């Protein structure tokens, strides 16, 4: 089994290095084909490891080599395949394989084709390091690796200023959060003497509550950045500047879920500090509805799906914060399939519409893009949480967890968010695929994606439909070997059916309202003059509650002005002036004394004699001082010095 572990881990790295060999060369399909095949190998190995874990109900723990050993610090390159990590491995490798195959067609005409696959496979390798590591140091290596690769992929089209700005924003905001995570890791080592999971978590029970609270808070700050939780959320929507396969892989199924994985992996810590868990759950519920409201009015289909991702991450954190760790992991898995499918479907629409993203400029695309319409519609049904698709099972469990634990405010917020999710999801479905044809008059001639791209998307479609039933097929039994096995059931059957049916009616009514509102033949491309666009509510939502404006005006701008002052007044006039002054002093002294090296023997002898006299004089002075030091001390003491 150890061989399969290494194969699953290092196959993406080999694919990345292969594509990197051609990064400066003309486009070659092999730079996409070989990494895709190697991702398939990684997926196969991960599947074999999954069956090993299921069949033996055990874990595979290997130590490849010692990474760091000094004093009491010992950190190996160690990896663990257990019930939690193998679930993440399957999600990462399956979605990555689909995205790699899809990207061969999507990036077909891009001159950076080879470079794209080098970055993409490197990202997958970093993500595998993150989820497979058996210690916090290894997790942090993968954590920073995915941050670096996401920077390269978000800013892939670096010729666009908006792309480089978005890449830098994501990178910097995550570095701010990662400082918090690093402090948390330092606190773990300081108090437990190790970073190994199997040593750290049992030792948590011996630590005082205050220390545990600080560790939990700092680790969660790192999770907030990676999973784009408020107030570190603004980078996620802006990251849509990258190619759509990047959005499908990084911002739907893998990197943004790393924060949820961290909390789930650290469940033994957060179980000891329930107040921090309640804060995480409350923040998750707030982010769920906060992001959903912004998706209601946005006119960029990728940003709508990005806000949806942000909202669903809120659901996951709500579950994890309430102690329903296996429910959070279940929703993470189910969400990965239908959200990646939505992003890839959006990529098909973009290709068909010459990169146009405004759904108001589309309409009637279902006639020429039947398969994309079917896939995106079913993915939206799963996202809305309608029975029997995947989202129904995972969302229903989160709502039950909140209700059973008597957190009724969190339950109410998440229930309202479910209705908003259904509305904005089918708002873009109605605007893109149904209603009046608005694209022909604008000069667009849409077409369906390559057949192999549609075929590549089909596993995601299948899993978006059936993955909810995995809960009944052994998922609960598998993951609760490591995670708390709390089951969330409303024991009053009448209450359960009223709540379940009521939720379904609410969600379906939201869908019908979206269709009624946005399939009207009177729909026109908004130009800023309508009463709705002039309303305060619309402006508040379309401007993201003015939070980016607040950051720009009251954080970034003052910081830039302060930096300018420090540069002009301190760096230039003090630091640089001091360094330049020292250099000038040496230069001037050298200019003044260079005459000593005239080459005249008589002059040189004079300077030698002068130097000898000077040295002898110093020797006499220091000798007398040493001889009479006691007398000098007595004299100074008498003077009161």
């Amino acid at each position: 089994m150890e061989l399969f572990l290494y194969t699953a881990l290092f196959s993406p790295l080999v694919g990345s290095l292969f594509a990197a060999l051609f990064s400066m060369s003309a486009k070659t399909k092999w730079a996409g084909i070989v990494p895709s095949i190697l991702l398939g190998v990684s997926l196969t190995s991960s599947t074999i490891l999954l069956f090993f874990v299921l069949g033996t109900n055990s874990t595979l723990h290997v130590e490849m080599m010692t990474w760091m050993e000094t004093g009491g610090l010992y950190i190996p390159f160690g990896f663990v395949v257990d019930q939690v990590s193998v679930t993440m491995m399957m999600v990462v490798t399956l979605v990555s394989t689909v995205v790699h195959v899809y990207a061969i067609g999507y990036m077909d005409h891009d001159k950076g084709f080879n470079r794209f696959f080098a970055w993409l496979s490197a990202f997958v390798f970093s993500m595998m390091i993150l989820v497979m590591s058996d210690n916090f140091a290894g997790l942090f290596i993968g954590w920073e690796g995915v941050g670096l690769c996401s920077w390269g992929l978000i800013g892939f089209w670096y010729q666009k200023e908006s792309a480089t700005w978005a890449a830098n924003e994501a990178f910097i905001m995550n570095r701010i959060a990662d400082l918090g995570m690093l402090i948390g890791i330092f606190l773990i080592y300081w108090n437990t003497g190790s970073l190994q999971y199997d040593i750290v978590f049992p030792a948590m029970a011996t630590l005082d509550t205050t220390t545990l609270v600080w560790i939990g808070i700092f680790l969660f700050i790192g999770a907030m950045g990676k999973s784009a939780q408020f107030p570190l959320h603004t980078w996620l929507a802006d990251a849509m500047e990258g190619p759509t396969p990047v959005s499908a892989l990084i911002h739907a199924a893998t990197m943004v879920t790393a924060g949820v994985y961290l909390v789930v992996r650290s469940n033994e810590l957060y179980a000891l500090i329930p107040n921090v868990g309640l804060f995480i759950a409350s923040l998750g519920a707030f982010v769920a509805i906060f992001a959903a409201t912004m998706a209601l009015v946005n006119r960029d289909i990728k940003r709508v799906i990005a806000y949806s991702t942000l909202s669903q991450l809120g659901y996951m954190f709500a579950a994890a914060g309430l102690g329903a760790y296996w429910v959070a992991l279940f929703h993470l898995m189910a969400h990965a399939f239908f959200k990646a499918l939505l992003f890839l479907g959006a990529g098909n629409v973009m290709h068909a519409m010459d990169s146009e993203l405004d759904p108001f400029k589309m309409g009637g695309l279902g006639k020429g893009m039947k398969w994309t319409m079917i896939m995106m519609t079913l993915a939206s049904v799963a996202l809305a949480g309608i029975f029997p698709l995947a989202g129904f099972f995972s969302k229903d469990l989160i709502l039950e967890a909140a209700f059973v634990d008597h957190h009724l405010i969190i339950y109410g917020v998440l229930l309202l968010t479910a209705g908003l999710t259904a509305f904005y999801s089918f708002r873009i479905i109605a605007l893109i695929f149904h209603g009046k044809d608005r694209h022909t008059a604008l000069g667009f001639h849409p077409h369906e994606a390559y057949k192999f791209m549609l075929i590549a998307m089909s596993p995601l479609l299948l899993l978006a439909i059936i993955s909810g039933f995995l809960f009944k097929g052994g998922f609960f039994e598998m993951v609760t070997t490591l995670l708390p096995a709390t089951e969330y059931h409303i024991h009053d059957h009448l209450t359960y059916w009223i709540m379940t049916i009521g939720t379904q009616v609410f969600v379906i009514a939201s869908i019908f309202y979206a269709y009624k509102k946005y399939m009207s033949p009177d729909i026109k491309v908004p130009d800023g003059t309508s009463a709705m666009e002039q309303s305060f509510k619309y402006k508040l939502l379309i401007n993201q509650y003015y939070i980016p404006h607040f950051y720009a005006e009251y954080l970034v701008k003052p910081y830039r002005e302060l930096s300018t002052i420090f540069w002009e007044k301190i760096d230039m006039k003090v630091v640089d002036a001091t360094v330049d002054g020292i250099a000038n002093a040496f230069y001037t002294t050298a200019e003044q004394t260079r005459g000593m090296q005239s080459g005249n023997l008589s002059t040189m002898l004079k300077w030698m004699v002068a130097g000898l006299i000077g040295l002898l004089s110093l020797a006499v002075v220091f000798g007398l001082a040493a001889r009479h030091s006691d007398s000098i001390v007595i004299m100074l003491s008498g003077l009161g010095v």
Side-chain angles (χ1 to χ4, degrees):
M1 286 297 118
E2 189 173 333
L3 176 62
F4 291 112
L5 183 151
Y6 290 132
T7 302
L9 176 62
F10 289 108
S11 291
L13 176 62
V14 175
S16 174
L17 294 175
F18 179 85
L21 292 174
F22 302 96
S23 60
M24 300 300 291
S25 307
K27 176 201 157 191
T28 171
K29 281 287 180 72
W30 289 107
I33 293 172
V34 171
S36 300
I37 292 172
L38 288 168
L39 256 296
V41 171
S42 182
L43 171 60
T44 303
S45 298
S46 298
T47 306
I48 293 170
L49 292 169
L50 171 65
F51 282 109
F52 167 77
V53 171
L54 284 171
T56 63
N57 199 31
S58 61
T59 63
L60 178 64
H61 194 176
V62 300
E63 186 174 313
M64 189 170 71
M65 65 181 74
T66 298
W67 174 33
M68 194 178 297
E69 186 173 13
T70 176
L73 176 65
Y74 174 71
I75 304 175
F77 276 119
F79 304 97
V80 62
V81 177
D82 57 21
Q83 289 79 0
V84 172
S85 63
V86 79
T87 302
M88 293 297 295
M89 289 166 63
M90 287 299 299
V91 170
V92 171
T93 55
L94 196 154
V95 176
S96 299
T97 302
V98 169
V99 169
H100 271 69
V101 175
Y102 176 91
I104 294 174
Y106 189 89
M107 302 297 291
D108 186 40
H109 302 296
D110 197 289
K111 63 181 182 180
F113 183 91
N114 304 346
R115 178 169 55 90
F116 178 80
F117 282 93
W119 275 116
L120 201 64
S121 289
F123 170 83
V124 179
F125 171 66
S126 298
M127 193 68 198
M128 294 293 278
I129 290 280
L130 191 158
V131 301
M132 294 175 68
S133 179
D134 70 346
N135 62 81
F136 281 100
L139 180 145
F140 191 72
I141 292 173
W143 195 274
E144 295 305 297
V146 294
L148 173 63
C149 293
S150 69
W151 172 80
L153 288 165
I154 296 169
F156 181 76
W157 289 317
Y158 55 85
Q159 301 89 347
K160 294 167 55 180
E161 184 179 351
S162 58
T164 56
W165 189 91
N168 290 336
E169 179 191 20
F171 191 83
I172 293 168
M173 195 164 285
N174 273 274
R175 297 297 73 72
I176 294 169
D178 291 353
L179 175 61
M181 181 180 175
L182 200 56
I183 293 172
I185 292 173
F186 285 152
L187 286 174
I188 289 171
Y189 178 74
W190 185 268
N191 288 280
T192 67
S194 178
L195 294 176
Q196 300 292 116
Y197 297 150
D198 55 0
I199 297 175
V200 167
F201 293 131
M204 292 288 184
T206 64
L207 302 181
D208 62 273
T209 303
T210 302
T211 301
L212 293 174
V213 166
W214 282 114
I215 292 173
I217 289 172
F218 281 117
L219 287 182
F220 182 63
I221 289 172
M224 287 170 63
K226 197 66 75 183
S227 295
Q229 295 297 283
F230 178 88
L232 304 175
H233 65 283
T234 56
W235 69 267
L236 183 61
D238 293 335
M240 295 303 106
E241 290 289 338
T244 302
V246 173
S247 304
L249 180 61
I250 296 180
H251 306 119
T254 53
M255 188 183 86
V256 293
T257 61
V260 180
Y261 169 75
L262 175 62
V263 175
V264 171
R265 174 59 76 182
S266 305
N267 67 90
E268 294 176 63
L269 163 65
Y270 287 103
L272 297 170
I273 43 176
N275 288 338
V276 175
L278 182 59
F279 169 77
I280 292 172
S282 302
L283 180 64
F286 167 74
V287 170
I289 195 167
F290 172 71
T293 56
M294 292 188 287
L296 294 175
V297 300
N298 202 277
R299 289 176 52 187
D300 181 320
I301 57 176
K302 284 181 65 177
R303 283 178 177 262
V304 171
I305 301 172
Y307 286 130
S308 172
T309 298
L310 186 54
S311 181
Q312 297 307 304
L313 287 167
Y315 271 92
M316 297 174 208
F317 278 114
L322 293 175
Y325 302 104
W326 69 269
V327 177
L329 189 63
F330 184 43
H331 190 52
L332 184 158
M333 178 187 68
H335 170 265
F337 302 137
F338 55 73
K339 186 54 62 66
L341 182 60
L342 269 176
F343 267 116
L344 296 183
N348 290 351
V349 173
M350 285 182 64
H351 254 205
M353 293 290 293
D354 297 329
S355 299
E356 179 57 59
L357 288 164
D358 188 349
F360 283 93
K361 297 181 180 179
M362 300 175 189
L365 288 184
K367 297 174 184 176
M369 302 182 68
K370 182 175 67 174
W371 287 109
T372 297
M373 178 185 70
I374 291 171
M375 289 183 177
M376 289 191 70
T377 301
L378 288 173
S380 297
V381 170
L383 173 60
I386 298 175
F387 181 84
L389 273 69
F392 166 79
F393 295 94
S394 57
K395 274 190 179 180
D396 190 59
L397 283 167
I398 295 173
L399 290 170
E400 284 188 52
F403 187 83
V404 169
D405 284 350
H406 306 293
H407 295 291
L408 299 184
I409 295 177
I410 292 176
Y411 169 80
V413 170
L414 295 179
L415 179 61
L416 177 58
T417 303
L420 297 178
T421 301
F423 177 83
Y424 68 66
S425 298
F426 283 89
R427 167 181 173 262
I428 62 171
I429 295 294
L431 286 170
I432 294 170
F433 297 110
H434 304 289
K436 181 182 176 182
D437 176 350
R438 297 179 297 276
H439 60 268
T440 302
L442 297 172
F444 295 110
H445 303 285
H447 54 83
E448 187 59 280
Y450 297 133
K451 286 185 179 179
F452 81 87
M453 294 169 67
L454 297 172
I455 293 171
M457 294 165 64
S458 58
L460 296 177
L461 175 63
L462 178 64
L463 288 165
I465 296 171
I466 70 168
S467 62
F469 294 100
L470 293 176
F471 168 61
K472 302 294 185 181
F475 178 83
F476 173 79
E477 289 77 8
M478 182 184 79
V479 298
T480 52
T481 304
L482 286 181
L483 303 177
T486 308
E487 293 192 60
Y488 299 92
H489 294 302
I490 299 173
H491 297 294
D492 185 336
H493 293 291
L494 179 61
T495 302
Y496 170 77
W497 284 111
I498 290 174
M499 289 174 56
T500 302
I501 295 172
T503 302
Q504 291 290 287
V505 170
F506 177 46
V507 168
I508 293 171
S510 299
I511 292 172
F512 276 109
Y513 179 60
Y515 269 110
K516 180 181 178 181
K517 184 175 179 64
Y518 291 103
M519 283 183 62
S520 169
D522 298 328
I523 290 288
K524 297 179 181 179
V525 179
D527 58 3
T529 60
S530 67
M532 180 193 71
E533 292 172 279
Q534 295 298 318
S535 68
F536 170 76
K537 180 171 59 177
Y538 178 87
K539 290 181 178 179
L540 186 67
L541 296 179
I542 202 68
N543 288 290
Q544 305 171 57
Y545 293 95
Y546 295 96
I547 292 173
H549 175 76
F550 174 83
Y551 287 170
E553 286 296 317
Y554 299 104
L555 294 179
V556 177
K557 187 176 178 181
Y559 181 79
R560 183 186 294 116
E561 291 175 352
L562 184 64
S563 299
T564 302
I565 292 171
F566 272 88
W567 170 58
E568 292 178 346
K569 305 297 184 184
I570 298 178
D571 190 51
M572 296 294 291
K573 294 186 177 180
V574 178
V575 178
D576 280 6
T578 301
V579 173
D580 291 344
I582 293 171
N584 289 331
F586 277 107
Y587 181 80
T588 303
T589 303
E591 281 291 321
Q592 295 295 325
T593 58
R594 65 187 297 183
M596 295 168 60
Q597 302 291 336
S598 64
N600 186 288
L601 183 59
S602 177
T603 303
M604 302 288 282
L605 287 171
K606 290 177 182 178
W607 281 113
M608 288 174 64
V609 172
L612 181 60
I613 293 171
L615 289 172
L616 290 172
S617 301
L618 287 173
V620 170
V621 170
F622 284 115
L624 290 173
R627 184 176 179 181
H628 299 289
S629 58
D630 293 339
S631 302
I632 294 172
V633 170
I634 293 170
M635 181 179 69
L636 292 175
S637 299
L639 294 174
V641 178

